[in-house]
Amino acid sequence: MEEKIEKLNSYDWKVRDLFIEDKIETLNKMFQNHGGYFYVAQKKALRDTLLSIIKGKRSLVYTNIRAEYEDLVKKLELETIIKLEKGSVADAKKELFDVDVGILEPDAIAAESGSIVLFDFDGTKSFVAFLPEIFIAVAEESAIFDTVPEALGNLIKKYSKMPATIQIVNGPSRTGDIENKIVRPSHGPKDAYLFLVK
Amino acid sequence: MSYKQVHKKILKALKKEDLRKGSEAATKDELKKRKYAIATHKYSLDWAEDVKNAKSTMLFDVVSSVEKFRKAFEGKNKYFYFARTPQDLKNIIAEIIKPGSTVVKSKSMVGEEIELRQFMESHGIKIYETDLGEFLIQLANEKPAHMVTPAVNMSEERARQLLEPVVGEKLNDVTSMVLGVRKFMRKIFFSADFGMVGANALSADTGSVIFITNEGNGALTSTLPDKLIVITSVEKIYPTLLDAIKAVTTQAIFSGFEYTTYVHIINGPYDFYGPKEIHLILLDNGRIRNDDLKETLLCIKCGACQFACPVFQVVDGAWGYIYTAAIGIPWTAITNSKETARSLAAFCLECGKCREVCPMKIDIPELIRKIKAEEV
Ligand code: SF4
């Protein structure tokens, strides 16, 4: 395993000849191209924007968010707020079958492709990103990299081990399988939000 | 298929005015999307070249590539199987999945190649295709028309006729069809015993499985059921995870998607939620011992050559057997029947358009010529 990681650390994960002048602007453009919503929010304004998104919703699930956001999320006025951590799989499935909102902090963001990158060791991040109707990722500016390969190279170094899955999410789910007409959602979330908190 | 059978199928398609119109419009659209995607990503041509080089090194000695991947993949609750023939693969499946089980499956050309769904149904397994296009093909009991968009030739009206009885409600437009299927499938996703996925790439350094989808069906297939089965073929192995990522990116760009909504990289079972065991079956089916048509194995199945083909533009999936048009002919020769491939090759116009668009720069006309000239 260690040998494997060492080898991975020796790759050149940078995409040559690619220079992104304004990461945030590129990210904004790309994530919207995918059909997602992108916000740069001041910490103070985050709560209000979240409130407007979850208006009328009933349930929320979250995982992997830092304490200050957790406080904020816990205080949102919703019927059910679930923190997804180790527990009964059957219960989690029951609770998440028609959960409205999912929130997490992604491991990295890639500007060039407008991607949310998740290193998932126990399945919780995948559940939160795939099952709810609305998926919200709250990221800090330091999580932004130029490209997906660059983000992966950095995360492998950071964790020094490979997760069970790496999930790369580019906006909300969609299909064009009937006469090329694009419809959202298909089986995943209908809306995807990416917040960059300053 | 004999020459006569192919001829008949093509004539029938030519008579369908709506198919021709639909297909022409769809292919033009697809080609435009592809051009735009390549132009937007300046590195796409460089990456295509990297992918070709990486793939070539693995194809040089497929047997040891398989061995390398196996070693990297195997581990706790991760089981590797090698299937030389389609029958081998089916036997393995019958061992793993007991009759009466429910399986949710996302798209896999390998599955199509060996008619796996039909086998599983006959084995008493309840199998649901979860990619919308593939689900329509399953309901219609047809074969996919295209590698990436299997139901590219199906009209809205026909889709409605197929879906309404299953979903059990009136579906007025495409949006209500998609939402109806989402609702119907959701329960099945949550209660299925097995998830089954194909792979777009495998990496020999980390033993990872990489696959891409837009609909999120692959996301649910690979996270909700307790057991995951991966069916894939030997030419998907890349030396490194980085090469494999470049390969799926190149595939998405050249198929005109630019970005797929999801890229899943699976390294192992989860500690907690999600599948607890992973079974991976690697199929050969004529690939390894095929020296004359070996270049075919460079194909990353982006489908660009299909849309660029003037015959495909007019008759669509009617020209082919599972693998359609252009590169479909050598694929048919390798995985199915040389006789069928020869019958199909007779309708190739030798215009060379497929070679122009192929990111792997495969000399497709030359492969078809060899088949035509009975050199293989
Ligand atoms: S032969 Fe080339 S263009 Fe055709 S599907 Fe394969 S990689 Fe794509």
Side-chain angles (χ1 to χ4, degrees):
Chain A
M1 187 68 187
E2 265 168 34
E3 215 176 285
K4 228 189 236 177
I5 297 293
E6 214 169 281
K7 199 168 153 210
L8 286 169
N9 282 339
S10 71
Y11 298 163
D12 179 10
W13 294 91
K14 251 198 145 10
V15 177
R16 287 180 302 276
D17 307 328
L18 191 108
F19 176 69
I20 297 180
E21 208 167 318
D22 188 339
K23 281 190 203 160
I24 295 181
E25 191 38 48
T26 308
L27 186 53
N28 179 14
K29 198 178 101 205
M30 289 316 300
F31 201 69
Q32 292 201 44
N33 271 357
H34 300 324
Y37 302 100
F38 177 79
Y39 291 94
V40 180
Q42 299 298 330
K43 265 188 191 137
K44 277 192 269 139
L46 181 63
R47 186 170 176 273
D48 291 340
T49 323
L50 281 179
L51 278 175
S52 69
I53 296 170
I54 62 160
K55 208 166 160 200
K57 300 294 169 203
R58 214 174 31 82
S59 54
L60 179 147
V61 59
Y62 71 90
T63 192
N64 191 56
I65 46 179
R66 61 188 71 200
E68 52 185 309
Y69 302 144
E70 184 169 359
D71 279 349
L72 195 159
V73 168
K74 275 194 200 141
K75 283 189 200 129
L76 293 171
E77 278 139 38
L78 285 159
E79 247 172 66
T80 323
I81 295 179
I82 308 157
K83 177 176 187 172
L84 193 63
E85 45 194 358
K86 293 188 182 176
S88 144
V89 178
D91 285 352
K93 276 194 186 173
K94 214 184 277 160
E95 284 176 329
L96 300 187
F97 181 80
D98 52 7
V99 66
D100 295 322
V101 187
I103 301 188
L104 54 65
E105 185 172 340
D107 293 287
I109 303 288
E112 184 260 348
S113 53
S115 307
I116 295 170
V117 181
L118 309 174
F119 260 43
D120 196 0
F121 291 90
D122 56 13
T124 49
K125 291 177 193 169
S126 300
F127 267 36
V128 171
F130 301 152
L131 299 179
E133 195 189 308
I134 297 174
F135 169 48
I136 303 172
V138 183
E140 303 260 317
E141 209 174 333
S142 58
I144 311 179
F145 295 92
D146 279 359
T147 62
V148 165
E150 206 189 319
L152 297 187
N154 272 282
L155 291 175
I156 292 169
K157 216 175 253 157
K158 177 177 153 193
Y159 284 106
S160 282
K161 82 180 203 205
M162 285 294 261
T165 58
I166 300 171
Q167 311 285 11
I168 299 163
V169 182
N170 300 317
S173 75
R174 66 182 151 123
T175 180
D177 275 358
I178 302 176
E179 291 198 353
N180 266 338
K181 289 176 186 152
I182 300 291
V183 178
R184 292 190 182 95
S186 188
H187 295 292
K190 174 168 131 284
D191 293 319
Y193 293 85
L194 174 55
F195 283 95
L196 197 65
V197 189
K198 290 222 172 183
Chain B
M1 278 198 291
S2 66
Y3 175 83
K4 249 196 175 144
Q5 284 167 312
V6 175
H7 190 206
K8 215 168 127 196
K9 215 172 140 197
I10 288 182
L11 276 183
K12 205 170 137 203
L14 279 174
K15 284 187 190 129
K16 285 193 199 154
E17 182 74 11
D18 64 325
L19 170 80
R20 270 189 64 170
K21 284 212 180 106
S23 168
E24 267 168 2
T27 47
K28 268 202 200 111
D29 206 38
E30 292 291 341
L31 288 170
K32 238 200 278 164
K33 268 183 4 199
R34 181 184 160 277
K35 247 194 184 148
Y36 175 80
I38 298 169
T40 322
H41 303 283
K42 291 188 204 83
Y43 54 84
S44 60
L45 295 173
D46 285 347
W47 276 27
E49 212 177 303
D50 293 350
V51 172
K52 183 175 180 172
N53 291 336
K55 221 172 176 197
S56 303
T57 60
M58 296 316 267
L59 293 176
F60 183 71
D61 181 358
V62 184
V63 176
S64 54
S65 304
V66 170
E67 196 41 28
K68 262 191 212 137
F69 174 75
R70 181 189 67 76
K71 276 203 191 124
F73 172 82
E74 273 180 342
K76 200 169 148 229
N77 298 325
K78 286 166 85 185
Y79 308 95
F80 176 91
Y81 310 79
F82 180 77
R84 181 161 300 286
T85 64
Q87 193 53 47
D88 288 350
L89 194 148
K90 289 172 186 166
N91 292 344
I92 297 166
I93 292 286
E95 273 292 308
I96 306 173
I97 312 177
K98 296 287 163 263
S101 311
T102 303
V103 178
V104 280
K105 177 177 166 297
S106 65
K107 196 163 56 193
S108 148
M109 273 317 284
V110 167
E112 290 298 329
E113 178 182 314
I114 63 169
E115 304 190 338
L116 184 60
R117 180 176 66 243
Q118 293 81 345
F119 165 77
M120 287 167 71
E121 280 167 349
S122 72
H123 185 63
I125 297 167
K126 276 188 249 102
I127 174 163
Y128 293 89
E129 293 287 355
T130 60
D131 171 85
L132 180 57
E134 202 65 40
F135 186 49
L136 288 165
I137 297 290
Q138 178 181 22
L139 294 176
N141 205 8
E142 285 173 7
K143 298 252 180 299
H146 185 268
M147 292 173 182
V148 181
T149 47
V152 64
N153 57 351
M154 197 181 279
S155 68
E156 184 180 325
E157 190 42 43
R158 175 109 173 90
R160 185 201 329 276
Q161 286 164 6
L162 290 167
L163 292 174
E164 275 185 354
V166 185
V167 173
E169 47 187 271
K170 266 217 109 10
L171 304 169
N172 295 323
D173 51 20
V174 175
T175 306
S176 62
M177 288 183 219
V178 174
L179 296 182
V181 172
R182 176 187 163 101
K183 211 164 110 196
F184 167 79
M185 226 32 121
R186 193 122 180 133
K187 284 194 209 101
I188 299 165
F189 272 125
F190 273 76
S191 60
D193 304 300
F194 290 87
M196 182 179 269
V197 300
N200 299 82
L202 305 167
S203 62
D205 57 347
T206 55
S208 311
V209 175
I210 297 112
F211 69 101
I212 52 182
T213 71
N214 284 315
E215 298 183 356
N217 62 317
L220 301 197
T221 303
S222 61
T223 39
L224 284 169
D226 277 346
K227 292 173 185 156
L228 178 66
I229 299 178
V230 183
I231 44 168
T232 183
S233 48
V234 293
E235 83 283 8
K236 305 266 170 63
I237 305 172
Y238 291 85
T240 69
L241 180 62
L242 186 54
D243 297 318
I245 290 165
K246 285 183 180 176
V248 299
T249 312
T250 305
Q251 187 184 8
I253 290 175
F254 280 78
S255 67
F257 278 127
E258 208 178 336
Y259 295 105
T260 55
T261 304
Y262 299 102
V263 180
H264 307 286
I265 303 176
I266 301 193
N267 302 311
Y270 289 103
D271 292 346
F272 205 69
Y273 296 103
K276 305 289 173 298
E277 56 184 72
I278 303 178
H279 301 261
L280 182 139
I281 315 172
L282 201 57
L283 177 71
D284 171 16
N285 196 19
R287 288 164 171 84
I288 294 178
R289 284 226 221 116
N290 201 302
D291 285 336
D292 299 317
L293 299 173
K294 203 164 185 175
E295 209 186 335
T296 311
L297 303 187
L298 284 172
C299 170
I300 53 168
K301 298 196 177 140
C302 69
C305 62
Q306 297 177 297
F307 285 126
C309 170
V311 182
F312 183 86
Q313 282 171 16
V314 177
V315 300
D316 200 283
W319 187 38
Y321 183 75
I322 299 174
Y323 290 110
T324 60
I327 196 70
I329 295 170
W331 270 126
T332 303
I334 293 174
T335 62
N336 195 282
S337 131
K338 293 226 164 83
E339 189 218 331
T340 303
R342 241 186 283 294
S343 313
L344 293 165
F347 293 86
C348 167
L349 305 175
E350 295 178 27
C351 70
K353 282 265 190 304
C354 50
R355 185 175 40 205
E356 280 171 32
V357 297
C358 174
M360 297 295 104
K361 301 206 171 80
I362 300 172
D363 194 347
I364 308 166
E366 172 58 15
L367 293 170
I368 297 177
R369 189 202 60 76
K370 275 191 196 168
I371 294 167
K372 254 189 199 171
E374 302 194 13
E375 285 171 21
V376 291

